[in-house]
Amino acid sequence: MRWRNVGPFRGGRTRAISGVAGQPNVFYFGAVNGGVWKTTDYGRTWNPIFDHEPTGSIGAIEVAPSDPKVIYVGSGEGLHRPDLSVGDGMYKSTDAGATWTHLGLQDGQQISWISVDPHDADRLFVAVAGHPYGPNPERGIFRSTDGGQTFQKVLYKDENIGGNDVKIDPSNPTVVYATLWDAREGPWENGEFNGTGGGVFKSTDGGQTWKQLAGGLPSGIIQAYVAISHSDPQRLFASVATKTGVDLYRSNDGGGSWTVATTDPRPKNRIGGGDLPVPAFDPKNPNVLYVTSIVAWKSTDDGKSWTGWRGAPGGDDYQNIWINPNDPNIILLGSDQGALITVNGGQSWSSWYNQPTAQLYHVNADNAFPYRLCSGQQESGSVCIASRGNDGEITFRDWHPVGAEEYGYVVPDPTDPDIIIGGKLTRYSRRTTQSQNIAPVPLGGPDFRVIRTEPIVFSPFDPHLMYFAANTLWATSDGGNSWKQVSPDLTRKSFEVPATVGVFRSQPAAQPKQRGVIYALALSPVERGRMWAGTDDGLIWLTTDDGAHWNNITPPQLQPWQKVSVLEASHTDPQTAYAAVNTLRLDDLRPHIYRTHDSGKTWTEIVNGIADNQNVNSIREDPERKGLLFAATEGTVYVSFDDGEHWRSLRLNLPATSVRDLLIKDNDLAIATHGRGFWILDDITPLRQWNENVTEREAFLFTPEPALRVRWNTNTDTPLPPDVPAGQNPPDGAVLNYYLKSAASGPVTLDITDSSGKLVRRLSSADPSPENPDLDIPTYWLRPPERLSGAAGFHRFVWDMHYPPVSGIRPEYPIAAVPENTAPQPTSPWIMPGKYTVVLTIDGQKYSQPLTVEMDPRVKTPVADLQKQFELSYQVYRELLQLQPVIEKATAVAEAIKSKRQKATGPEAAKLDDISKQLQDILGGERRRRRGPRQENLTGVRSSLLQVLAMLQESDHPVVTQVAEQVPKLQQTTAGAIQQWNSFESTQLKPLNLGK
């Protein structure tokens, strides 16, 4: 089993960036929750290089200037945001990202900057922001002189103030500048507390001692960034935040004195999420400056006046900038939309539509085929994307925004997949491409509170009944044209301020007041009128009468602001429910899941097996198997087979990232990640059948899910190039799963028989690998051959639902091609939809299961017409099976004559030349399947048969008369060609003994 990446390929928030000065084509970026990526082609393509590590949250990355193979990565996104993630310290690569070593600073949680000595790759400084939601001592500025084996805390105030920025003077590495940041995120969304203990500091002895800089800088600094001019290191530029606002300062004397650089307010604007602008100097010209803000700004007069240099309406929100010190025209920008590169000073840029680092919140699916996954995408908007593409992969053709805001739920109407409800609150029509606001209280008010993500849920009993949650619950039966309030305010009226607020508890923003919202909502699919509601301030409620009465059933363990992230109502028992409770905002990384079997009278915490640092975002129950649960955590996915008593990781090949939600759609498990887009685990039927008895058996063949006969790639035009980004389609065929306790001692075979018991296909682990001699295309287009395995463990085999290919026909590849996933043009027909039996044979023991093959649900062709198509195709296929051995025999004879002719002379040579000419006329010489009339020689007839087979099989429509009429004609032609060969063989070859 493997997760597949769906997309979308639209970048997400990116703060950590770095390039290689001496390799101008090489760049790196770290997505805040999507791992580390590398390009070697100026950003045309990006490849993940950090996917096997335990975290995907990246705040800083730096390539050692003296050794480009050495890369340092700081985890934890290094920003204070309502949707932030945390990391687990420092990482290092000494082979340009091929492998990684985990270093220290694990409890820093957020690393915001790294600076490496330009002459010594083992000497570095790290700015550790610390816990975003609570105090901790591992924060401040750290130094390592041994390549990260050890770190020394060299600048520190207290457990509340963290490091924000650190820069080494490029001309004198003993001079270091650093900034501290005094801030904390609150237990509730948009709760942010700022202190005045930050500042700008300088060390002139390599970090041993530090002096806080003043001389024109304001007092009471919250946060600051500083830039050093490479061409004039005495020139500094800083962005500085205080409680009165943000200003830009410059210094011409190494920080001894400072002046306000500009009166222009635009470059001082905080980045869209409230982040402080980041300044940078042109490395060759100290008068040229850049500032990343809502747009990227440029100044050519030492920061006095500014011009919008890169940006767009709505705000791209630029987070960081790296400028090649050897060539200032080469610039890498990190933004809320991803990473992008210019090599001509900003005249043109690479794209961020090639980075699958979307930050999604929840996942819902429509009832179309193929189904589409939908969510809000942080920073960008909304997306609904097909779970499979018609062109063999999921490309830009297969997704589109759907009119919702960037936050939260996007839910298709169950009665109409072209109507999508999203955000807070819009109704989008795919037919008109228009979006309409349908919020219950359009302008809000003191009695109507919402935050980023608010539940949108349709009734499982009435698909026209939709609920929307704020601090109160609302219902509509007419698509949002009118609403009825169906709950009071379900949030806490007051509370004791959590201890994690600490020294900030006296601030006005920290005072207790009713500020929570309904954050989770679950409707029972087995009992109408039963709804479970959870709040972000830590309450759970239940109604059994459609909201007329509500009962507080909060587990006694829940404390204020332990966020009830997702509730799941059981699919089998109305009194059973599950609650995923996220406590990250209380500085608690531990997982919390609660289960009730008695309508909330009692609750049991069920987290055994989930790692201690894995906050839980969501929990879902499989609708098919009672007690099969899936949990989404801050790092991966977990599965439980016993109602949550025990959990095990289901990460498989999934990169580490925050998994925000899960959805079981038919037989698939889909997830929304907050940094790597959508992923799907196709066909979870083995998990539904899995138990401990499976692994105790010598072998086990799982009952396969119904196989859909879908044309995997229907593209008729030039294929998209390999460097066009794309998500992965589901497997191309029937998925067959089996388990071997130990390796088989002989070949493993797989037989598929039809309902009459007739063998359709036999496959073996001993089958030779197909050969592709004299390929006409590059090998990177080819799909790896599907092979049965006899090794111990779990195996998945995909059968293409065709009869056996005709052996010996040189493979050709269709224009409907996908890089690394293009199968040869079929030489055999599709099987018919219907009932089949799969028989797996291992060491003489047979295991069988039924297999149902169903038609693509979009195809409405009557079965009788499909049957006629099959019968005609099978007739052509049988002709090919008869003809191909004759061609192979004739080809062998031709080679024998050629070999003998090389040694012959005189009359014998003349005789062989005559026979060779006659044979060539009979055999023909066509290698490719070309359209149009063919000569009626052996290879010409084969080409005609293949062409007609392709016409018969190219679509699932009734066969047109003129094509059907070709089949009996070709049968006669084939018989004639074979008869001609037989006659030639008996009369001309036998006397020469060449036909054997």
Side-chain angles (χ1 to χ4, degrees), residues 5 131 214 295 355 403 418 461 505 539 572 634 658 675 723 808 839 848 933 942 958 988:
N5 178 225
H131 291 201
V295 300
Q355 299 157 37
D418 288 329
F461 294 96
R505 66 185 305 114
L539 297 175
T572 58
E634 272 299 293
S658 173
D723 54 1
V839 180
S848 67
R942 182 180 64 183
Q988 299 295 323

Side-chain angles (χ1 to χ4, degrees), residues 381-393:
S382 60
V383 57
C384 280
I385 186 168
S387 57
R388 70 160 72 223
N390 291 328
D391 300 338
E393 55 187 351

Side-chain angles (χ1 to χ4, degrees), residues 580-792:
V581 177
N582 188 302
T583 55
L584 172 63
R585 291 179 179 167
L586 293 175
D587 199 28
D588 177 7
L589 301 185
R590 294 173 300 171
H592 300 285
I593 303 174
Y594 297 92
R595 178 190 66 204
T596 181
H597 287 314
D598 54 13
S599 295
K601 294 183 180 65
T602 60
W603 293 87
T604 302
E605 188 164 19
I606 49 169
V607 294
N608 182 29
I610 300 179
D612 289 341
N613 64 344
Q614 292 289 304
N615 287 128
V616 179
N617 296 312
S618 181
I619 183 169
R620 301 296 179 192
E621 181 194 43
D622 180 48
E624 300 292 329
R625 174 178 169 175
K626 184 177 181 180
L628 177 58
L629 305 178
F630 300 95
T633 74
E634 272 299 293
T636 192
V637 177
Y638 285 81
V639 61
S640 172
F641 299 98
D642 55 7
D643 204 32
E645 293 296 323
H646 303 87
W647 294 88
R648 62 185 72 183
S649 173
L650 197 60
R651 180 174 174 182
L652 304 172
N653 62 308
L654 190 69
T657 184
S658 173
V659 183
R660 293 297 173 95
D661 202 0
L662 315 105
L663 171 73
I664 298 149
K665 177 64 176 176
D666 303 325
N667 294 322
D668 300 338
L669 177 63
I671 60 172
T673 73
H674 205 64
R676 291 297 287 268
F678 290 117
W679 293 69
I680 293 176
L681 186 63
D682 295 293
D683 183 19
I684 62 169
T685 55
L687 299 180
R688 291 171 173 162
Q689 300 168 50
W690 186 270
N691 56 53
E692 297 304 322
N693 292 332
V694 170
T695 55
E696 293 174 359
R697 302 180 186 184
E698 290 302 316
F700 187 84
L701 176 63
F702 295 89
T703 303
E705 68 172 342
L708 288 178
R709 212 190 88 172
V710 176
R711 295 178 183 276
W712 198 70
N713 189 344
T714 55
N715 180 36
T716 59
D717 292 1
T718 299
L720 293 175
D723 54 1
V724 173
Q728 299 162 305
N729 258 12
D732 184 15
V735 178
L736 307 174
N737 301 287
Y738 62 97
Y739 170 82
L740 301 183
K741 186 176 182 179
S742 56
S745 60
V748 173
T749 62
L750 190 67
D751 291 348
I752 298 103
T753 59
D754 63 19
S755 57
S756 68
K758 181 181 177 182
L759 182 66
V760 173
R761 189 76 182 266
R762 170 167 290 165
L763 300 135
S764 171
S765 59
D767 289 340
S769 296
E771 297 181 358
N772 290 289
D774 303 324
L775 273 176
D776 294 332
I777 58 173
T779 56
Y780 58 70
W781 288 100
L782 273 57
R783 175 184 294 175
E786 193 78 21
R787 298 296 302 271
L788 281 171
S789 175

Side-chain angles (χ1 to χ4, degrees), residues 799-820:
W799 172 44
D800 64 5
M801 293 188 287
H802 280 73
Y803 279 78
V806 180
S807 177
I809 295 181
R810 181 176 181 270
E812 294 193 13
Y813 293 86
I815 195 171
V818 173
E820 299 181 357

Side-chain angles (χ1 to χ4, degrees), residues 28 36-38 47-53 68-71 73 92-101:
Y28 300 87
V36 180
W37 297 73
K38 179 179 182 178
N47 295 301
I49 59 172
F50 205 73
D51 281 3
H52 299 294
E53 305 312 315
K69 291 183 179 180
V70 175
I71 308 168
V73 164
K92 179 182 181 181
S93 173
T94 57
D95 51 17
T99 60
W100 296 91
T101 300

